[in-house]
Amino acid sequence: MAMRHLRMEGRVNFPRNILLLLLAFSMLLQAQQSTPPPTPLTLEGAVNYALAHYPQIRASLERRSAASAGVGLAKTAYLPTGSALWQGNRATRNNIFGLLLPQSVIAPISGPVLPDTSNRGIWGSASGVLVSWEPLDFGYRRAGVDAARAGERTASAELDISRLDVASATASAFISVIEAQQAIRAADADVNRREVFSRSVHVLVQNQLRPGADASRADAELAAARIGMIQARTAEKVARIALSDLLGISPTSLQLDAGALMQGPPALTTPQIDVAAHPAAVAQHSRVDQAAAQVRVLDRSYYPRFDLQSAFSGRGSGANNDGTFAGGTNGLGLQRENWAVGLTASFPFLDFFSIRSRKQIASATERAETARYQQTVQDLSAQAEEAQARLEGAIAIAQTTAVELDAARAAESQARARYEAALTNVVEVTDAEGLLVRAETDDAVSRLNAWLALAAFAAAQGDLTPFLQSLHNASTGGH
C-alpha cells in the first residue's frame, strides 16, 4: 500500500513539478527581457540598450529570419516531390463509353461498359505513391533562389536601417535630455542672481536711494526668470519621456552621465563619404536586384517542363469483370498492383501572352527601383554634405561661446557695481543678467550641439560607430 501511495503521489506531483519548472523558466526569460540599463547611463550605454530592447529591432530581426527561411524554401524546388494516397469508398459500378473534358465535379470511373445499370453499391479501394522530379528547368529554379537571396539581402539592409534609426534617435534624445538639464542649471543660476539683485534693490528702495520703479522692474525680471525655470524643467521632462520611450523604461528611473559631452566640442574630421555603403542605399540596391531576379524568373518560365515520375499503386473493386457483384467486403483489399516509370514533357504554349505581360510589369518595376536607387544615392549625398556643413558650423560656434561667456560675466559684474555706485539704472543690470544667462546657455548647448551634429554626420554616412568612438576617445583622453 505504501509503494502504491508513493507511485500515486509521484504521478500527482510530476505535472506540478513540470508547471513549476515552466513558471520558473518563464520568470527567468521575463527577467532577462526586463533587465534595467546600467546606472548612471552613458550615451553609449543608452544606444546599446536601445538596440538590444527596442521592438522595431526585434521586428526587423524576425523579418530577416523569414527572408532567410525563404531562401531555404526556394532551394526545396530542387528536391523531388512525393505523395501517398489511400482511399476506401462504396459506389456503383456503372460506366459509360465516351470522352469527358477535365473537370472537378464528376468522379472518374474505370472499367468496361456493362449492358445494364444497377443502383447497388460495391466496395472499392485504392492506394499509391507518386514521386516526381524535374531534372531540367533551364535555370528557372536558380532564378527563384536568386530572387529569394535578394529578398534576404533587402531584409538585412532594412535591419541595418532600423538599427541606425534607433541608434540615431537614442543619441539625439540623450543629448536633448542633457541639453535640457544644462538649461535648468542656467535658469537656476539666473533665478539665484536675480533674487539676490532683487533683495538689494528693495533695500535701496526702502532707504529711498532708488525709485520704487526699480523694485518693480527687479520683481518682474525675477518672475520672468522663474517662468524660464518652469519652462526648462518642463522641457527636461518631455525630453526624458522621449528617451525613456526608446529605452522602454520609466522616465523616473533614468540617471544619465553626460561624460565627455560637456568637456568640449569634438575634433573636426572630414572622412571620405561613401553613400553607396549607406544601409538605405544598400537596401534600395537589393530591391533592384530583387526586381531583376523576378525578370529572370519570367525569362525562364516559357520553356517546356520535364518531370521524371515513378508511381506504384494498387486497386480493389467489389465488381467482377462480367458485371456481377462479388459481395461482402470484397473490394476493400488491394487486388491489383501496378507500377510505372516515365518522363512527362509539358509546354503551356498559350501562357506566352500572360508571361509577356508579367515580364513587362516586372521590367517596369526594375526600372522604377533603379530610379529610386539613383534618387536615394543623390539624397544621401546631399544629406551627408549638409550634415558636414552643420558640423563645421556647430564646432566653430562651440569654440566661440567661451569668449561670449567671459564677456557676459564681466559685463554683469560691472553693471552690478555701477548700479550699486549709482552710476547706472536697473535696466542695464537686467540686460546684463539676461545676456549672462543666454551666454551660459549658449556655452553649454553649443558643445552639445556640436556632438549632436557629429552624430547626425555619422548617421548620414550610415554608421554611428565613428561618433561613439570619438565620444569614447574624448572621455578617455584619446586612449
Side-chain angles (χ1 to χ4, degrees):
M1 291 292 292
M3 292 297 295
R4 180 181 179 186
H5 175 72
L6 289 175
R7 288 194 298 268
M8 292 180 63
E9 184 178 5
R11 287 196 296 269
V12 172
N13 289 336
F14 179 73
R16 184 184 303 169
N17 295 335
I18 294 296
L19 289 176
L20 290 175
L21 288 174
L22 291 176
L23 180 60
F25 183 69
S26 175
M27 293 177 64
L28 178 62
L29 288 179
Q30 185 177 4
Q32 292 177 349
Q33 293 176 356
S34 58
T35 302
T39 302
L41 187 62
T42 63
L43 190 149
E44 185 177 1
V47 170
N48 293 332
Y49 189 85
L51 291 177
H53 295 84
Y54 197 65
Q56 179 182 346
I57 302 296
R58 297 200 301 270
S60 298
L61 283 170
E62 294 303 329
R63 284 193 291 268
R64 187 182 66 176
S65 298
S68 299
V71 176
L73 176 62
K75 289 181 178 179
T76 60
Y78 287 98
L79 302 177
T81 60
S83 300
L85 177 142
W86 180 90
Q87 182 185 102
N89 62 71
R90 187 168 181 82
T92 60
R93 53 69 170 135
N94 305 320
N95 201 351
I96 191 67
F97 186 82
L99 180 143
L100 189 66
L101 293 173
Q103 41 76 44
S104 61
V105 177
I106 302 175
I109 183 172
S110 62
V113 179
L114 301 178
D116 59 345
T117 299
S118 174
N119 290 327
R120 181 179 175 181
I122 58 171
W123 290 108
S125 61
S127 180
V129 176
L130 173 65
V131 177
S132 179
W133 179 58
E134 190 176 0
L136 182 64
D137 63 357
F138 302 99
Y140 178 81
R141 287 174 292 191
R142 181 178 179 180
V145 173
D146 291 341
R149 284 174 175 165
E152 182 184 20
R153 291 193 297 271
T154 301
S156 297
E158 289 176 348
L159 172 61
D160 293 337
I161 293 175
S162 298
R163 285 173 171 167
L164 179 62
D165 291 342
V166 171
S168 301
T170 303
S172 177
F174 188 97
I175 294 176
S176 295
V177 175
I178 301 298
E179 181 179 331
Q181 291 175 350
Q182 295 300 316
I184 290 176
R185 292 188 179 95
D188 183 64
D190 185 44
V191 169
N192 291 333
R193 286 192 299 267
R194 292 185 186 276
E195 285 179 345
V196 172
F197 180 68
S198 178
R199 287 195 296 268
S200 64
V201 170
H202 276 276
V203 171
L204 294 174
V205 170
Q206 290 173 0
N207 293 326
Q208 297 183 353
L209 298 176
R210 286 289 186 273
D214 286 6
S216 299
R217 178 61 184 265
D219 292 341
E221 294 292 341
L222 176 60
R226 287 171 176 168
I227 292 174
M229 169 67 76
I230 296 173
Q231 293 173 341
R233 293 186 183 278
T234 302
E236 195 270 345
K237 289 181 180 179
V238 172
R240 183 179 290 268
I241 292 172
L243 178 59
S244 65
D245 177 54
L246 291 168
L247 301 178
I249 60 177
S250 173
T252 57
S253 63
L254 281 177
Q255 296 183 17
L256 306 185
D257 180 10
L261 292 174
M262 298 305 303
Q263 295 179 7
L268 179 61
T269 58
T270 56
Q272 186 68 29
I273 301 175
D274 183 14
V275 294
H278 194 285
V282 174
Q284 187 56 42
H285 192 274
S286 299
R287 295 186 187 100
V288 175
D289 293 340
Q290 194 172 7
Q294 293 296 334
V295 175
R296 290 194 296 271
V297 168
L298 293 172
D299 282 336
R300 287 155 179 79
S301 297
Y302 195 67
Y303 284 95
R305 176 170 179 173
F306 297 91
D307 291 295
L308 182 62
Q309 296 174 309
S310 176
F312 178 81
S313 63
R315 290 287 302 272
S317 176
N320 298 321
N321 291 335
D322 58 0
T324 60
F325 297 90
T329 59
N330 289 305
L332 292 178
L334 303 178
Q335 300 164 342
R336 296 291 184 271
E337 294 82 20
N338 290 285
W339 61 266
V341 176
L343 180 66
T344 301
S346 59
F347 182 55
F349 59 92
L350 290 181
D351 287 354
F352 169 79
F353 303 101
S354 62
I355 291 176
R356 183 181 62 179
S357 298
R358 290 164 57 192
K359 185 179 176 181
Q360 291 174 349
I361 296 173
S363 298
T365 301
E366 180 186 6
R367 293 191 296 270
E369 296 297 342
T370 302
R372 291 192 185 98
Y373 173 74
Q374 296 171 349
Q375 183 65 50
T376 299
V377 172
Q378 180 177 333
D379 293 343
L380 290 174
S381 300
Q383 291 173 10
E385 294 176 358
E386 179 181 350
Q388 183 172 354
R390 292 182 181 276
L391 174 61
E392 294 173 356
I395 292 177
I397 291 174
Q399 294 172 344
T400 309
T401 52
V403 178
E404 177 192 7
L405 180 59
D406 291 340
R409 285 173 177 170
E412 193 269 343
S413 177
Q414 293 172 4
R416 279 177 175 270
R418 286 167 56 81
Y419 183 80
E420 292 174 356
L423 297 177
T424 187
N425 56 27
V426 71
V427 176
E428 181 179 346
V429 178
T430 56
D431 289 344
E433 288 178 341
L435 178 62
L436 177 58
V437 68
R438 185 168 66 250
E440 290 175 339
T441 304
D442 290 344
D443 185 59
V445 171
S446 64
R447 293 193 293 269
L448 295 172
N449 284 340
W451 285 106
L452 186 61
L454 181 61
F457 180 64
Q461 293 179 292
D463 185 9
L464 216 63
T465 303
F467 163 73
L468 297 176
Q469 187 61 43
S470 298
L471 188 62
H472 177 74
N473 293 339
S475 62
T476 58
H479 299 288

